[in-house]
Amino acid sequence: MTVERVYTNDTLPVEDRVVHLMAEMTLQEKVAQLAGVWASDLIDSDWRFVPEQAQRTIAHGTGHVTRVGAVSMLPPVESATLTNTIQKFLVEQTRLGIPAIIHEESCAGYLARGATSFPQSIGLAATWEPELAEAMATVIRQQMRAVGAHHTLAPVLDVVHDPRWGRMEETYGEDPFLVSALGTAYIKGVQSEDWANGIIATAKHFIGYSLPEAGLNWAPAFIPERLLREVYLPPFIAAIREGKIGSFMNAYQELDGVPAGSAVWLMVDLLRNELGFDSVVVSDYFTINMFVEYHKIAATKAEAARYGLEAGIDIELPAADCYAEPLLHALEQGDISVDLVDVSLRRVLDMKMRLRLFEHPYVDTGTVLEVYNTPEQIELTRTLAEKSLVLLKNDGDLLPLRSDLRTIAVIGPSADSARLMQADYHYPSHMEGMVNLPADSMEAPIPGKRLKVADWEEHRPPTTTVLQGIRARVGDGTQVLYAQGCTSTGDDMSGFAEATAAAAKADVAVVVVGDLSGMGLGATSGEAIDRATLELPGVQQQLVEAIHATGTPTVVVLMNGRSPALTAINDTIPAILEAWLPAQEGGSAIARVLFGDVNPGGKLPVSFPRAAGQLPMYYNHKPSGQRSHWHGEYADMSPKPLYPFGHGLSYTTFAYDGLTITPAEASAGDVVSIRVRVRNTGQRAGDEIVQLYVHDRLATVTRPVKELKGFKRVTLQPGETKTITFRLDVRHLGFYNREMQRVIEPGTIGVMIGSSSADIRCEGSFEIVGATTAVDHVSFTPVEVD
């Protein structure tokens, strides 16, 4: 019987089309829309679509196809062709002809072969420039759309306070205001205002995932409600209200004994009812089955499916498991109400309609390469890398390096490695780790194990290493010596002799050390790669010490995904440059900064601890935090960070003055104008990131010693002055009182403007007057530059 496809009539309202489609669906077809299927389950080992496999897995349709570009590892045109073939099967070979949403990853660029790679998120955060996040996300949208993708599992909006947790690198740092600004900019760039031309963004991980016990991935998080609401929730509020985000993803961990993905109070009462999110929630991979095998709250997969549906998880990713035969059987037996399925199904089909999948299920493979690695995109990733670099230390003005140096030694495991410039969610380092996962890993069901990869290097984007960047920058009169010295991990020091000999011959040594980021065994940073210590991995610290012992002036360049403990080298090394995981143009960016072609202007989005024993660490602690009463310090070290949040040096200097705050008294609904002048007092043009902090000096519950509520990156020529004006909404001063109501209270608000959270240049205050008033959350502070 031919189905009259009223639901394909795009002249009808989306709501009506969804109702018509649901009325046509069998129970099996409904359930099929609530899960994904691995793209690799539809292809053979030569990446060819296999109709027989599709008949076994998606004969009744599917909600999502998981990561065509990533797991097929095909170049862009071939990936788009495969996507078209899968969609053609769904449109023409299934009864209802419902296309699938193709989802991918894009934390730091579209995670697929041939895509432009950008610095990892923690590096993006170090730019303190949301406009760059939006520009990067726009490129991601263009590249993903070109190959037929519709949905990305990004951005990560977790606020992170413990760098032992391996996923710090995927975050935008430790401050909710900064995370909100960067995350929302990313959402706007990738999603655009029209879903039909955009990529659905996913706010993840909801919520509290980033403070696991002992820094161990998936471990319980102990976060009281006030802290959850005031620190961890704001970026998600901004994503909904400012970013108009289309999708959410649950967190893996438990909160107070309840796994987040099963917590009705969290996923329904808070997310949907209180915050008003009304679109699709996708499960983080394997979440639903974790209720059975990991958290032990469900005896069967059917019971796990009920937990997920009751908590409003609409799509099971990466593939149908609990939302498959176990759910179908429970529905047929009456153990689970079909009403639960219909609620989620309505949201899934609504998204497909708004994406206009029925009208445009295919892409034009002939135009794909027009948006891949254009000169403008390469320039953008280089600019982002340059602006992400943070000059931590520069004693004696060792940097910038002179162009007339006779000999430079470039040393270290990260000095000439394209692989070590990549992050856990860069391609192909991500897939390289996934393919090599042990068989009993939770992620092991990825059929990537059977895909043939002769040489991973052939899959990497065109990359300039630090060594290559320096060689390209110096003239013929400068000799560049290179020695690896050691590998990222392991205890082999046999290369030290060659490295120290090279350093001894040089006028300066540039030592490039850091992490091996990935998801496979042997990595030192990345998802599920947690560390108990924060020193440089392997024998890299010893390598740095050995180079310094030669007496040659030494610059250390760090390429890492977490905030390291640098105490052991900080006192002796004169210059330290933080480069994060800078991706394909990182080597060029680092060379340009080392030689002063670019003045570093990045600032730390996280505090750098002295030792792991200080963790968790963050600048916006309470008055009783970061000190031990009554002596104040640990018995063996300072409790303060080695480098504070917001820190970053320049090759020039900046002076602040002229702070004015008007009005002197304000109440709920008012906006306070906070103005300051910033002048470049040095001899070079440079960027300064002006940071606004506030402090409620007396409240009925304890308040942080300072909170970031505004920032602006400005470029100043030598002698130039600019006036920065922050328009601070008084509602920013709201907090949850003893009755857990969000209010502002009358009292004095301290205002601090500075170059970092610890380098405050101007201070003032204003008064909140009137009665205690309930207020809503606000996310941003408009900034004017004159």
Side-chain angles (χ1 to χ4, degrees):
M1 180 178 68
T2 302
V3 177
E4 184 181 357
R5 294 182 171 177
V6 176
Y7 55 86
T8 64
N9 183 353
D10 64 353
T11 65
L12 295 176
V14 168
E15 295 80 2
D16 292 349
R17 295 172 65 191
V18 170
V19 169
H20 279 285
L21 178 52
M22 289 179 64
E24 298 288 348
M25 300 178 78
T26 66
L27 193 58
Q28 196 164 27
E29 288 167 336
K30 288 183 175 183
V31 169
Q33 290 297 315
L34 302 190
V37 59
W38 278 108
S40 45
D41 278 343
L42 306 174
I43 59 178
D44 62 20
S45 58
D46 292 315
W47 302 288
R48 294 174 300 199
F49 179 76
V50 182
E52 294 79 11
Q53 291 177 206
Q55 283 290 349
R56 288 194 297 270
T57 54
I58 56 173
H60 300 285
T62 185
H64 278 223
V65 175
T66 295
R67 300 168 70 180
V68 174
V71 301
S72 74
M73 298 188 280
L74 289 169
V77 174
E78 290 84 347
S79 174
T81 301
L82 175 58
T83 294
N84 281 348
T85 304
I86 294 170
Q87 296 285 32
K88 183 177 177 65
F89 177 91
L90 289 167
V91 170
E92 297 182 2
Q93 301 299 319
T94 64
R95 188 178 75 92
L96 297 176
I98 305 173
I101 292 173
I102 311 296
H103 81 255
E104 302 279 0
E105 298 276 5
S106 64
C107 185
Y110 172 31
L111 198 163
R113 188 173 181 179
T116 307
S117 69
F118 295 91
Q120 176 63 305
S121 297
I122 196 68
L124 175 62
T127 70
W128 291 58
E129 195 162 347
E131 296 82 1
L132 284 177
E134 185 169 354
M136 179 193 78
T138 299
V139 173
I140 292 169
R141 169 169 53 84
Q142 293 167 345
Q143 294 185 346
M144 289 181 67
R145 264 287 173 179
V147 296
H150 315 101
H151 188 152
T152 181
L153 305 185
V156 173
L157 299 180
D158 297 305
V159 175
V160 62
H161 290 161
D162 192 336
R164 292 175 299 179
W165 186 56
R167 302 192 77 170
M168 171 178 267
E169 65 178 62
E170 300 170 43
T171 76
Y172 299 126
E174 72 181 47
D175 179 78
F177 187 88
L178 182 61
V179 174
S180 296
L182 291 159
T184 301
Y186 179 102
I187 293 163
K188 289 180 177 179
V190 80
Q191 195 165 271
S192 78
E193 295 182 0
D194 180 10
W195 285 9
N197 298 306
I199 297 293
I200 299 296
T202 305
K204 66 183 193 183
H205 308 82
F206 196 73
I207 187 172
Y209 179 40
S210 51
L211 191 63
E213 184 178 41
L216 292 167
N217 199 41
W218 296 7
F222 299 98
I223 305 175
E225 184 180 359
R226 183 174 287 104
L227 181 63
L228 191 77
R229 286 179 172 273
E230 292 188 350
V231 174
Y232 294 91
L233 188 59
F236 294 98
I237 296 176
I240 295 170
R241 297 181 181 173
E242 306 294 335
K244 313 299 181 187
I245 196 159
S247 177
F248 260 68
M249 174 184 281
N250 68 279
Y252 280 126
Q253 92 297 338
E254 66 171 75
L255 284 168
D256 196 22
V258 181
S262 70
V264 173
W265 72 269
L266 190 69
M267 306 301 296
V268 178
D269 297 343
L270 177 58
L271 177 60
R272 296 196 183 277
N273 298 340
E274 183 178 331
L275 301 185
F277 180 73
D278 60 359
S279 191
V280 171
V281 173
V282 300
S283 80
D284 206 341
Y285 285 13
F286 313 108
T287 286
I288 310 300
N289 188 54
M290 283 173 61
F291 300 156
V292 180
E293 296 188 5
Y294 192 77
H295 290 298
K296 311 293 186 182
I297 62 167
T300 65
K301 290 179 184 289
E303 187 179 2
R306 178 176 58 79
Y307 272 126
L309 290 170
E310 288 176 343
I313 295 183
D314 303 309
I315 293 277
E316 181 181 24
L317 297 181
D321 182 8
C322 301
Y323 284 15
E325 288 302 319
L327 173 57
L328 187 62
H329 181 72
L331 290 166
E332 292 169 345
Q333 297 298 311
D335 297 332
I336 297 177
S337 171
V338 72
D339 292 343
L340 277 176
V341 168
D342 284 347
V343 168
S344 289
L345 177 63
R346 186 172 288 107
R347 288 191 283 254
V348 172
L349 296 179
D350 178 88
M351 178 174 283
K352 290 191 173 188
M353 300 286 187
R354 295 184 189 281
L355 283 166
R356 296 185 66 80
L357 294 189
F358 291 89
E359 293 76 29
H360 304 290
Y362 312 119
V363 294
D364 182 356
T365 58
T367 62
V368 170
L369 294 181
E370 294 176 4
V371 294
Y372 272 77
N373 285 309
T374 66
E376 295 79 13
Q377 292 169 348
I378 300 302
E379 182 180 357
L380 176 61
T381 188
R382 182 172 61 251
T383 298
L384 207 160
E386 289 170 355
K387 291 195 172 188
S388 73
L389 301 180
V390 181
L391 184 59
L392 297 176
K393 185 179 181 182
N394 193 23
D395 288 357
D397 292 331
L398 178 57
L399 295 177
L401 299 176
R402 303 192 325 270
S403 296
D404 62 352
L405 291 171
R406 292 175 302 171
T407 307
I408 299 174
V410 182
I411 295 165
S414 302
D416 193 33
S417 170
R419 170 65 183 86
L420 294 178
M421 303 177 80
Q422 289 194 312
D424 66 339
Y425 273 82
H426 278 133
Y427 181 89
S429 59
H430 180 85
M431 295 309 301
E432 188 176 359
M434 300 290 267
V435 167
N436 295 324
L437 284 172
D440 60 352
S441 166
M442 286 288 290
E443 303 271 344
I446 297 173
K449 286 178 176 288
R450 69 188 186 208
L451 300 179
K452 294 183 280 191
V453 181
D455 184 358
W456 284 110
E457 296 304 318
E458 294 179 357
H459 287 247
R460 300 200 201 288
T463 300
T464 302
T465 67
V466 177
L467 176 63
Q468 292 167 342
I470 289 175
R471 281 180 169 159
R473 170 58 180 77
V474 300
D476 293 338
T478 301
Q479 182 182 17
V480 179
L481 306 175
Y482 166 69
Q484 184 184 36
C486 65
T487 57
S488 294
T489 59
D491 57 4
D492 185 1
M493 300 167 66
S494 60
F496 278 29
E498 180 187 9
T500 55
K505 297 175 184 176
D507 299 311
V508 67
V510 176
V511 186
V512 192
V513 292
D515 280 317
L516 167 58
S517 175
M519 294 181 66
L521 297 175
T524 66
S525 177
E527 184 173 358
I529 310 299
D530 311 311
R531 295 188 66 203
T533 59
L534 298 178
E535 288 73 24
L536 293 171
V539 293
Q540 294 183 79
Q541 178 178 310
Q542 292 93 317
L543 175 65
V544 171
E545 293 168 346
I547 300 303
H548 172 71
T550 65
T552 300
T554 302
V555 178
V556 169
V557 177
L558 299 166
M559 292 207 295
N560 53 279
R562 48 165 51 95
S563 48
L566 301 173
T567 305
I569 65 172
N570 190 68
D571 292 340
T572 55
I573 300 300
I576 304 175
L577 182 69
E578 175 58 73
W580 314 105
L581 297 161
Q584 65 186 75
E585 285 296 305
S588 296
I590 291 167
R592 284 164 58 81
V593 165
L594 289 176
F595 285 93
D597 303 323
V598 172
N599 193 342
K603 303 279 190 177
L604 292 181
V606 287
S607 304
F608 275 27
R610 298 172 187 272
Q614 294 175 288
L615 303 176
M617 168 166 280
Y618 41 93
Y619 83 93
N620 50 349
H621 57 83
K622 296 297 183 70
S624 59
Q626 288 194 12
R627 56 176 170 166
S628 173
H629 289 283
W630 51 92
H631 291 302
E633 300 199 344
Y634 289 111
D636 50 355
M637 70 173 61
S638 167
K640 304 298 182 184
L642 182 63
Y643 290 110
F645 174 82
H647 170 75
L649 303 177
S650 172
Y651 297 152
T652 188
T653 54
F654 301 95
Y656 290 60
D657 64 12
L659 175 65
T660 61
I661 303 172
T662 56
E665 296 183 346
S667 58
D670 290 341
V671 173
V672 177
S673 177
I674 301 169
R675 181 173 299 174
V676 68
R677 289 192 301 266
V678 182
R679 183 164 62 96
N680 184 340
T681 54
Q683 303 302 310
R684 292 173 176 265
D687 287 5
E688 174 67 327
I689 299 173
V690 184
Q691 302 163 40
L692 166 66
Y693 297 91
V694 298
H695 170 55
D696 191 334
R697 293 178 179 173
L698 180 66
T700 54
V701 296
T702 61
R703 303 304 302 139
V705 295
K706 56 175 69 78
E707 297 177 274
L708 182 72
K709 292 300 179 184
F711 61 88
K712 184 64 178 178
R713 183 167 185 153
V714 293
T715 301
L716 294 168
Q717 298 300 316
E720 183 181 10
T721 298
K722 289 185 178 179
T723 299
I724 314 299
T725 304
F726 297 99
R727 305 292 184 187
L728 180 70
D729 191 315
V730 172
R731 291 176 296 172
H732 270 303
L733 285 306
F735 60 87
Y736 286 86
N737 64 12
R738 295 189 178 210
E739 289 72 41
M740 288 305 295
Q741 298 171 326
R742 196 173 193 279
V743 300
I744 57 170
E745 295 178 344
T748 303
I749 302 301
V751 173
M752 298 157 277
I753 294 184
S755 187
S756 83
S757 62
D759 184 8
I760 301 300
R761 306 292 183 87
C762 298
E763 294 192 61
S765 65
F766 66 91
E767 294 290 323
I768 295 180
V769 297
T772 296
T773 306
V775 294
D776 198 2
H777 179 89
V778 289
S779 298
F780 300 114
T781 299
V783 186
E784 299 169 8
V785 181
D786 301 316

